[in-house]
Amino acid sequence: SWTNAAGEPGISLNVLNVDMPRLVIGAGANSREIEINGQTGTIYNGSYDYRAWVAEGTLNVVWVMDGITYHLWSDTLSEDELVRMAESFQ
């Protein structure tokens, strides 16, 4: 996780040594496929908070590169910023 100047969490990353896991997202996530460095990924809004889906507040990008799944999310970055950050992974 990375924090902002106030010490608040702003960006988090999970790296899984598996191909794309099954995504379970709730209503209102507005999920859609995107391309990250030539790979198909998924971008969506929301997260689980105490077992309930909260559709707003968190932006997520999930993609697989070389058999490893990356899940990058932020409460503070715009969609363009989050996608640019995901594309910076080599």
Side-chain angles (χ1 to χ4, degrees):
S1 292
W2 293 270
T3 58
N4 63 19
E8 301 162 332
I11 307 165
S12 296
L13 171 69
N14 277 345
V15 179
L16 306 169
N17 194 19
V18 295
D19 280 337
M20 180 72 87
R22 183 177 186 159
L23 291 177
V24 179
I25 58 177
N30 298 320
S31 68
R32 67 182 193 285
E33 287 188 356
I34 60 169
E35 187 175 303
I36 303 290
N37 294 331
Q39 305 300 313
T40 300
T42 302
I43 190 165
Y44 63 95
N45 296 309
S47 63
Y48 282 98
D49 183 17
Y50 303 103
R51 297 187 180 153
W53 183 258
V54 178
E56 56 279 330
T58 303
L59 183 62
N60 302 266
V61 175
V62 179
W63 74 101
V64 176
M65 186 169 57
D66 298 326
I68 297 174
T69 299
Y70 296 85
H71 176 196
L72 184 64
W73 71 95
S74 176
D75 295 336
T76 58
L77 294 180
S78 70
E79 182 175 317
D80 288 341
E81 291 169 321
L82 197 63
V83 169
R84 276 198 319 265
M85 181 173 272
E87 289 175 339
S88 73
F89 287 81
Q90 298 295 321

